[in-house]
Structures are given as structure tokens and as C-alpha cells.
Amino acid sequence: MTDGTTNFINGEWVAAVGGAVFASTNPANTSQTLGLYARSDQRDVALAVAAAKAAYPAWRKTPAPARGALLTKIGRLLEERKEAFSQAMVNEMGKVLVEARGDVQEAIDMAHYMAAFGRLPSGSVVPSERPDIYCSARRVPVGVVGLITPWNFPIAVPTWKMFPALLAGNTVVWKPAEDTPGMAVLLIQLLADAGVPTGIVNLVTGYGEEAGAALVEAEGVSTISFTGSTSVGKHIAGRCGQLMKRVSCELGGKNAIVVLDDADIELAVKGCLWSAFGTAGQRCTAASRLIVDKRIKAHFAERLVAETLKLRMAPGADPTAQIGPVVNRTQLERIHSYIAIGQNEGATLLTGGTPLTDAPLDKGCFYAPTIFDSMTPGMRIAQEEIFGPVTGIITVDGLDEAIAIANGTDYGLSLSLYTANLRRGMRALDELESGIVYINLPTSGAEIQLPFGGVKNTGNGHREAGWMAMDWCTEWKAAYINYAEGSELVRAQIDV
Ligand code: NDP
């Protein structure tokens, strides 16, 4: 068990300057403390930023293929430690083992994908309007980047940020979520074991309002990459605007699955179960709205409830578990508060709506998979991100109404439509307002080689993953090189 010596600064494991610690607990058994972690403040952040700043010049000059080779090594070490990481994630965050393995696999995929970028083009040569002038544009690193990450994907989300940033030649200070500091320590130790040079990646564990806010404010941090709630994201983006820092925000979602009258109902039910209840609904891509055509709604609802009742709730370490606990008691209570909100607005419960209190689930934060019926688009449960195993059915008459309702929230991350009709599918692809659209697939299931992120209140225009993962952590530098003979100045736009 860790004793609070969990900040990694300039290649050393150290305690917080002030000596404060906080505990991480197991959401499947909240009486089990997993470790004590450094509760950092601006003094620790300042030390971490200084280390990252000092390490930057040499790392920037390290050839990109060498940086890529290090990522390959990191990817291989992640493969070796995948099972140990997955078990630890189950204990600290609560997701079931098979999903924890998927979380680590995303990091492995990202390491190998980004490693290849070390040898791919990172700019272009373009013609000049003047003779004997060489023009090019290339990506350059932005310097020290600050990463602030949530608990729901404690390995995937940080590595989606960290690996592109490192490949691009930046150095890093990372503030992970207070619910998953143990996963951060494991990842940072792995990077050290892989041979990441001193000062390139630094870790400050602690609370958002203390360590996170200090990282946003810190002088010397040029760019913040944040994943988390829309309210915190808006606050951080506002501060970064005032400080003239670059900021990339990946925020919440209110995702929907549309099921049309010609859909394969069994396929759609499987997709809805996975999207609504996977990771106990604690995904930014979770489907908390099911928009169903009135012609098939009764049959769909019956099949969905029947399959939901078969889901096995258990601690994630149980190999038969299909749904684990939610991350903590505060989150459990927040989720439960939405049941009364929904019922007061006129929605009815088809199943669920309660915390689970039979042993051994009473030891942890388990919530019954919940389905509302008679949800209407304006209800709070149809507009606000609940971030738990709660979904609701909105009944519609045909494609036009379905698309309008699917688009009718402040978020725009992931929307899905089930249909057997290619024309309807293509129309949805054109008209659904979200960063990701799925046809005949659930709203969760992104692959790392495509851009990830959303529109409206889901983000501020950036994307992670895919070939555009390099955008938020690089600047463009244009170059003009004159190799003409003679002493003539040839002015652009004027002398040509
Ligand atoms: P929060 O916004 O509460 O926290 C995210 C991170 O920000 C944590 O590390 C947190 O620290 C930190 N933080 C909190 N307050 C501040 C602050 N004032 N200044 C700086 N940092 C701060 O979100 P959750 O952790 O609750 O994560 C759930 C949210 O994340 C959901 O809304 C979900 O949709 C979203 N999300 C979005 C994804 C996307 O790609 N679009 C992917 C995954 C999740 P601490 O842990 O100490 O509170």
C-alpha cells in the first residue's frame, strides 16, 4: 500500500511538500482503503512544471523516430503488464475485468499507433509565388503540457493525451482524478521502467480544486488538455482564455440510440444494453436516451427489460460480473437523485431505480440498471448527463422526429441509429449533430485510429485519437528560405 510518496517529479517519487495525503478506496467495498496518495498543491505543481521545463529542450531535440521507439517500448511493457493493470483498475475504479482489459488495450493501441508517427510526415512543402524560395510548414511542440483526467477510463484517457504529446516532443505534468491515483502511479512507474528520461513526464496526485487548478494557472504550462465534466471544462477553458493558454476540452455527453421500425430489434437491444449499462453507465458515450419508433416500441421495451433483468451485478473482480459498482457514494447518491427528478416530471420506471443492498453488494456502490419509460425530450433526465446506469425511452413517429429529438440537447458526442434501410442510415449520418455517428452499432466502441470528440457543449473543437491527435499538442511553424542568386529583394504580392 502506498504511503503518500506518489508524486513523480524529476524522476523521483516524492511526498507532497505540505505532507498531506488522501486515501483511495475500492468502490465494490468502500471500507477497503487501497492506498494513501500525495495531496498536492501549487508548490508541488510548481516543482513538477520546473522539472518538465528543464527537460523540454533536450526532449524537443530528440529525433522523432527515437521518441517513437520509446513509445513502442512502452506499448510492449503495457502488453506485459496488461493483466496486472486490469486487476488493479477493477479494484480502484470498479469496472468489470473484461472492460478493464479493454481500457488498457486502448493504451497499448495508442502507444503503437503513435510510435509510427515518429516516422510519418509532420508537415508539407508548398510552392512559393516567388522564384527560388523554399516554403514549408511543419509541426513543432508546444512545450510543457498539463493533463487533467477523469476516473472512468483511468489508463485510456491519460494515454490518449500523453502519447501524442510525448511523440510531438512536449514534456508533461499530469493531474489524474482523485478516485484513481493508484492507476496513475502504475502507469508512471511503467514509463520510468521503459526508460522515459528524467523530467519528461511528471505526476502530481491530488484534488481538482487544488492541484488541478494550480496546474491550469501555472506559469510555464503552455497548453492544458482536459477531460471531465462540462462545468469544470468551461471553467478551465475560461481561465485558459484569460491566460492565453491553449486548451483542449473533451467533456460530457447526452448520447442517444435511435431504433427505427425496420431495425433488427435483437441487435439494437444488445447495443442499448452495452451503451446504457456498460461501465455502469459511466462513459461519456453512454446512451441515456433510447429514441424508439412507436410501431416497435412495445416489443423493443419488453425485450430490453427482459435482457436487463438478466444482467449480473457483482464486484468487478468476480469473473461472472457484467456490471460493477459506480465509482463512489457521492456518485451513487447523485444518480439516485435523478430517479425522483424523472418521476416528478412524469416518467415511469420499467425496471431499476434503486441502489442494491443485498450482500455482498451492500459493501459497495452498486446501482440497479434502470430504464425509464414515457421520457419526453424536455425532461431533465433527457437533457442532463446522469453518468450512471440509467436510460429512458422516448417514443417517436418516424425518422424526422427521431433526428430532431436526437439533436435536441446541448451535447454532441455520440449518436447511433438502427435501421435496415441504407437511405435512412445515410440521412442520419448527414443530419445527426455529433462528433461520432454509429449506424447499427452502439454509441460506445470508438477505435483509436479515428478522431474522438464532440460538438456543442461536449468540447471546444479539438479531437483526440486518430491522425488529428497531434493537433492540440503542436503548433504550426511556416518557413521561407531564399536560395536565389543575387541581391534582389523580391516582395510577395508586390514584385510578382
Ligand atoms: P470532473 O470534471 O469532476 O473531473 C475531471 C478532472 O478534473 C479530475 O481530475 C478532477 O479532479 C479535475 N478537476 C475538478 N475540478 C477542477 C478544477 N477546478 N480545476 C482543475 N481541475 C479540476 O469530472 P469527473 O471526474 O467526474 O468525470 C466525469 C465527467 O467526465 C463526465 O461528465 C464525462 O462525460 C466526462 N468525460 C468525458 C469524456 C470525453 O472524452 N468527452 C471521456 C470521459 C469522461 P478530482 O478528481 O480531484 O475532482
Side-chain angles (χ1 to χ4, degrees), residues 25-28 85-107 150-158 179-180 183 274 277-285 312 314-328 365-366 387 444:
T25 55
N26 181 346
F85 271 47
S86 305
Q87 302 275 356
M89 193 184 303
V90 166
N91 283 336
E92 191 174 52
M93 184 269 157
K95 64 175 72 175
V96 297
L97 189 54
V98 62
E99 291 187 26
R101 289 184 185 129
D103 194 316
V104 181
Q105 188 60 44
E106 285 189 33
W151 42 264
N152 62 343
F153 283 83
I155 292 295
V157 168
D179 284 299
T180 50
M183 295 313 300
W274 174 241
F277 304 134
T279 321
Q282 304 166 110
R283 294 181 184 137
C284 50
T285 57
R312 184 165 149 65
D318 178 337
T320 65
Q322 289 173 289
I323 314 269
V326 299
V327 73
N328 57 39
C365 311
F366 289 87
F387 225 56
S444 300

Side-chain angles (χ1 to χ4, degrees), residues 482 484-488:
N482 175 15
E485 282 184 24
S487 308
E488 200 71 27

